[in-house]
Amino acid sequence: MTLPLAACGKDKHDQPPTPQFQRNKDGFPLPARPVASIVETAYSTEAARDKLDEARAVMDKAGIKRGMTVADIGAGEGYYTIRLAARVGDNGRVLAEDIVPDVRDALAERVNRERLDNVSVRLGDPANPRLPPNSFDRVLMVHMYHEVAQPYEFLWNVRPALKPGGELVVVDADRPTFRHGTPPRLLECELKAVGFERVNQREMPSAGGYLATFVAKGERPLPQAIHPCDANGKPL
């Protein structure tokens, strides 16, 4: 007598399919969740942000001090760049990057106009900020992580730029990436995939969300060994 199929045990074809994802030409996984478009260089006026004491609160919680070297990634119109320059002082350095040439040029003009000799401005790359290795006490990414089209490759290229004990600081809103935010669980999952460990996370209402800091842990994984996370922050 032929037994019902269910009584014969699970066939390999009955198993749930392994989630599939794509990789780019360099072997890095593409994000398995939406990437927000770049719609503007500032989400509020500088006066309004200063009224909320945004920059001071973020720099305090990020532990940014005089003499540090800080990278401002996705610098936009320079709200943080200008205030970071004052915070780190003459013995510190700020490297400001943006991937939009016109925005970079406008920021360079502002830096020159305000005579900020401790600031350098350069054009970034969507997948690689090309930061000098072992150079930064802090790498700051404010309300821009959800716009990074190649987050795993980008983070992989950021890692070597941090000094020993250096920290990656992300400020974002706790909402889906297609709504111009990054849920903290998703952020932690994606950074963990590239070898970052979260140090702490704090609510930052004055900055429109939260602030999370990460440090690099262990060896940097090979691109082919990195697996992406889904939109809910679960590894695939």
Side-chain angles (χ1 to χ4, degrees), residues 129 131 136-139 141 145 151-163 165-170 185-200 212-221 226 229:
L131 301 175
F136 295 94
D137 300 289
R138 299 289 186 273
V139 173
M141 300 170 63
Y145 180 78
Y152 300 98
E153 184 172 4
F154 185 89
L155 293 168
W156 193 85
N157 285 312
V158 165
R159 269 193 57 151
L162 290 169
K163 295 179 181 178
E167 296 181 356
L168 173 62
V169 181
V170 179
R185 183 175 177 179
L186 171 62
L187 180 69
E188 183 177 13
C189 183
E190 293 189 346
L191 269 76
K192 184 177 181 180
V194 190
F196 283 96
E197 180 180 282
R198 190 173 70 185
V199 177
N200 60 53
T213 59
F214 297 82
V215 295
K217 285 288 186 179
E219 295 295 322
R220 187 171 62 160
I226 299 171
C229 306

Side-chain angles (χ1 to χ4, degrees), residues 58-230:
V58 166
M59 291 188 293
D60 284 353
K61 286 182 170 58
I64 296 173
K65 302 174 183 178
R66 295 188 70 81
M68 281 188 168
T69 301
V70 181
D72 183 12
I73 307 299
E77 297 174 357
Y79 174 74
Y80 274 93
T81 300
I82 304 306
R83 290 152 182 82
L84 286 167
R87 173 65 67 97
V88 302
D90 293 340
N91 293 325
R93 295 290 302 173
V94 177
L95 175 61
E97 279 197 6
D98 204 278
I99 64 171
V100 181
D102 289 347
V103 173
R104 184 276 315 268
D105 293 346
L107 179 54
E109 291 177 5
R110 180 178 184 181
V111 166
N112 183 60
R113 183 170 64 250
E114 299 192 22
R115 299 182 179 180
L116 301 178
D117 295 332
N118 61 344
V119 176
S120 300
V121 180
R122 57 191 281 183
L123 188 66
D125 183 277
N128 185 357
R130 295 192 175 90
L131 301 175
N134 193 31
S135 297
F136 295 94
D137 300 289
R138 299 289 186 273
V139 173
L140 188 63
M141 300 170 63
V142 179
H143 289 291
M144 55 77 65
Y145 180 78
H146 50 267
E147 298 175 351
V148 178
Q150 303 276 349
Y152 300 98
E153 184 172 4
F154 185 89
L155 293 168
W156 193 85
N157 285 312
V158 165
R159 269 193 57 151
L162 290 169
K163 295 179 181 178
E167 296 181 356
L168 173 62
V169 181
V170 179
V171 177
D172 216 332
D174 183 2
R175 56 177 177 252
T177 52
F178 69 86
R179 292 183 53 210
H180 290 268
T182 308
R185 183 175 177 179
L186 171 62
L187 180 69
E188 183 177 13
C189 183
E190 293 189 346
L191 269 76
K192 184 177 181 180
V194 190
F196 283 96
E197 180 180 282
R198 190 173 70 185
V199 177
N200 60 53
Q201 179 183 311
R202 304 175 185 179
E203 295 301 312
M204 286 295 302
S206 64
Y210 64 89
L211 179 149
T213 59
F214 297 82
V215 295
K217 285 288 186 179
E219 295 295 322
R220 187 171 62 160
L222 294 173
Q224 295 79 6
I226 299 171
H227 284 245
C229 306
D230 66 17

